Amino acid sequence: MSNQILPVFPADAGCCAPMVREPLAEDDAAELARMFKALSDPVRLRLLSLIASHESGQACVCDLTGPFDVSQPTISHHLKVLREAGLVGSERRGTWVYYWVIPTALNRLSGLLQTPAQMSIPTGSGA
Amino acid sequence: MSNQILPVFPADAGCCAPMVREPLAEDDAAELARMFKALSDPVRLRLLSLIASHESGQACVCDLTGPFDVSQPTISHHLKVLREAGLVGSERRGTWVYYWVIPTALNRLSGLLQTPAQMSIPTGSGA
């Protein structure tokens, strides 16, 4: 055991232990599954990426409808799902609602999925 | 612009650009949404974490049924969903099937969701 290689994670792996380090508790799994469910739709993923990559760090809903072939109410529904999952925040300012990503939420999911650089796929040879 | 602060990502952020850097293409979003959908169920998330954190890097299906209050066929269905999403690999060896996580797939999702350390939530003051 003295030569055991320990996984190395970058310092900013997020707030939560990567799942390669320890199994998820039942309560955590339920909460995290809800967040991943919000990411399980292509339009929501693109909306989140548009908000996340917006120059100012926040996007007006008026910036978010153009790129999609879906109606404004559908976009609003998807934004509500992202907000209720805790992935984005929003605020009305005058005519428009503005959205921004919640970095701690994204980093929590990112950290959970992180695997150590030297982790490799086992090569099968009996067990 | 000379004092512009650029986001800093760790070197092993994964194979794909984080979504805070650029918006997702439509094709990528569809593929990634399918992978996130596989993570959107609490039992599947716990199964994946059990496999990922297993001491040997791989887990026999016989290690994966004990912790759950669901039937063996349900566990098998969830494992199939994880495999079809490209998140785990599997191989039959004698009586049992063994599972392991696909590190490149997990790191792809992890890298996508990563936000730079200095990213903060905008404070609202008109826009």
Side-chain angles (χ1 to χ4, degrees):
Chain A
M1 290 295 278
S2 60
N3 287 324
Q4 186 184 11
I5 298 172
L6 294 173
V8 177
F9 297 97
D12 65 346
C15 67
C16 302
M19 60 165 71
V20 296
R21 197 179 289 164
E22 60 188 25
L24 273 174
E26 204 167 341
D27 287 354
D28 289 339
E31 186 191 351
L32 291 160
R34 278 193 294 275
M35 296 169 82
F36 283 123
K37 195 170 177 61
L39 299 177
S40 70
D41 179 278
V43 172
R44 283 202 293 276
L45 264 186
R46 288 173 64 207
L47 275 171
L48 187 66
S49 76
L50 276 172
I51 297 168
S53 62
H54 208 266
E55 205 174 353
S56 62
Q58 53 192 310
C60 168
V61 71
C62 58
D63 298 321
L64 299 174
T65 48
F68 298 98
D69 288 333
V70 296
S71 67
Q72 168 65 47
T74 301
I75 295 290
S76 294
H77 165 74
H78 285 312
L79 288 168
K80 186 181 172 200
V81 173
L82 290 171
R83 201 181 64 236
E84 289 180 347
L87 296 170
V88 304
S90 68
E91 184 179 65
R92 175 174 291 280
R93 294 181 209 144
T95 310
W96 300 110
V97 180
Y98 289 78
Y99 291 86
W100 55 87
V101 298
I102 310 286
T104 49
L106 295 192
N107 280 334
R108 183 179 181 196
L109 300 183
S110 174
L112 182 79
L113 296 172
Q114 205 155 42
T115 64
Q118 72 269 37
M119 189 174 189
S120 60
I121 298 172
T123 52
S125 62
Chain B
M1 290 296 279
S2 60
N3 288 324
Q4 187 184 13
I5 298 172
L6 294 172
V8 177
F9 297 97
D12 65 348
C15 68
C16 303
M19 61 165 70
V20 297
R21 196 180 290 165
E22 60 188 26
L24 273 173
E26 202 165 345
D27 287 354
D28 289 338
E31 185 190 352
L32 292 160
R34 277 193 295 273
M35 296 169 82
F36 283 123
K37 194 170 178 61
L39 300 177
S40 70
D41 179 279
V43 172
R44 282 203 293 275
L45 263 186
R46 288 173 64 207
L47 275 171
L48 187 66
S49 77
L50 276 172
I51 297 167
S53 62
H54 208 266
E55 206 173 351
S56 62
Q58 53 192 312
C60 167
V61 71
C62 57
D63 298 321
L64 299 173
T65 48
F68 298 98
D69 289 333
V70 296
S71 68
Q72 168 65 47
T74 302
I75 295 291
S76 293
H77 165 74
H78 284 312
L79 288 168
K80 186 181 171 200
V81 173
L82 289 171
R83 199 181 66 235
E84 289 180 348
L87 297 170
V88 303
S90 69
E91 184 180 65
R92 176 175 289 279
R93 294 182 207 143
T95 310
W96 301 109
V97 179
Y98 289 77
Y99 291 85
W100 55 86
V101 298
I102 310 285
T104 49
L106 295 191
N107 280 335
R108 182 179 182 197
L109 300 183
S110 174
L112 182 80
L113 296 171
Q114 204 156 41
T115 64
Q118 72 270 33
M119 190 174 187
S120 60
I121 298 173
T123 51
S125 60

